[in-house]
Amino acid sequence: MGLGGYIVYFIVLLIVPIWAQMKLKSTYKKYSKVRSTSGHTGAEVARIILDQNGLSNVKVVESRGMLSDHYNPMTKTVALSSHNYHEPSVAGTAVAAHEVGHAIQDATDYSFLRFRHRLVPMVNISSNMSWVFIMIGIFANISGAMLIGIALLAVGVLFQLVTLPVEFNASNRAMDQLLSHNVIRNDEERHAKKVLNAAAMTYVAATAVAVIELARLVLIYTSMDRS
């Protein structure tokens, strides 16, 4: 890899993820202060959309920590961070709808979500083992160990790639639900999209880093193999 390649590598590795996180935090902070015209808290928004989709079995609970919002398919639970759970903000509305989007994916057997779930056990193992083999391969100059490490790392990269359609689809579902049930009005649609797009960029950044890191290691392996 030449100098230009290393410059691009470090820009993607360091600057892009930091920029994406800063963008998310600033966008969320801005729209968490904008009160939703519906007056519904995030918890109420989640409950409305869930019930409208026949998902009364899915619980809505409060979780600790900023932006700790998530959907747990094992417990059928939408967890919203305290501010989003209690406050009627545009940001909280968008985030709550997004997490409910995952619940709808789960209920409708969305293929990419199912595939991602199947990858989780493999990722838990490969993420811990990949760098052990990669370090052995690099420092001991053993190309076979390097190849095993790259293969294990590729499982994690595949997980990142599959996560993208899952997250974008959840956001699209969120906007459709918010509009069809008249939860957002006027400029709120544009503002809600900004929150969801900022969140999506963090996944895009993480995927870009994973892909470039994998490509760099493949280049190292090919140079080892040739020598």
Side-chain angles (χ1 to χ4, degrees):
M1 184 184 293
L3 178 60
Y6 277 110
I7 292 174
V8 172
Y9 169 73
F10 282 113
I11 287 175
V12 174
L13 186 68
L14 299 175
I15 298 177
V16 172
I18 293 173
W19 171 82
Q21 285 293 333
M22 291 177 61
K23 178 68 175 177
L24 172 59
K25 289 180 179 178
S26 64
T27 304
Y28 174 79
K29 182 178 180 180
K30 178 180 179 179
Y31 292 108
S32 65
K33 296 177 181 178
V34 178
R35 182 181 175 85
S36 60
T37 55
S38 69
H40 292 308
T41 66
E44 291 169 342
V45 169
R47 188 74 269 156
I48 289 169
I49 300 175
L50 286 167
D51 291 345
Q52 288 292 331
N53 285 272
L55 299 176
S56 57
N57 62 312
V58 177
K59 297 178 292 184
V60 182
V61 300
E62 182 180 357
S63 65
R64 295 181 179 180
M66 180 181 177
L67 295 175
S68 57
D69 314 82
H70 63 279
Y71 170 68
N72 188 329
M74 303 301 294
T75 60
K76 308 299 181 187
T77 301
V78 170
L80 302 176
S81 54
S82 294
H83 187 276
N84 293 336
Y85 187 91
H86 292 288
E87 298 298 325
S89 69
V90 171
T93 295
V95 172
H98 176 87
E99 298 309 329
V100 173
H102 287 308
I104 296 173
Q105 288 176 336
D106 188 21
T108 57
D109 205 31
Y110 180 58
S111 58
F112 281 104
L113 184 68
R114 287 283 171 261
F115 185 37
R116 188 174 72 169
H117 288 169
R118 293 190 187 100
L119 287 173
V120 170
M122 291 185 286
V123 171
N124 290 338
I125 296 172
S126 65
S127 61
N128 294 324
M129 295 298 297
S130 60
W131 284 101
V132 173
F133 285 98
I134 289 169
M135 290 298 100
I136 292 173
I138 291 175
F139 291 108
N141 197 30
I142 302 174
S143 61
M146 184 75 175
L147 183 59
I148 293 172
I150 289 172
L152 291 170
L153 191 66
V155 176
V157 174
L158 177 61
F159 181 84
Q160 293 279 8
L161 289 169
V162 173
T163 294
L164 291 181
V166 171
E167 296 300 327
F168 280 109
N169 179 264
S171 290
N172 290 336
R173 290 174 189 263
M175 292 307 304
D176 289 342
Q177 293 295 320
L178 290 173
L179 292 169
S180 63
H181 301 304
N182 297 313
V183 178
I184 58 175
R185 306 179 184 93
N186 304 324
D187 288 340
E188 287 179 317
E189 179 181 356
R190 180 164 52 88
H191 297 161
K193 283 182 178 180
K194 287 182 179 180
V195 174
L196 295 175
N197 288 340
M201 284 307 301
T202 62
Y203 293 101
V204 173
T207 302
V209 169
V211 170
I212 287 182
E213 179 64 7
L214 180 64
R216 184 181 72 88
L217 293 171
V218 169
L219 288 175
I220 293 174
Y221 167 75
T222 55
S223 64
M224 289 174 59
D225 199 45
R226 283 197 297 267
S227 62

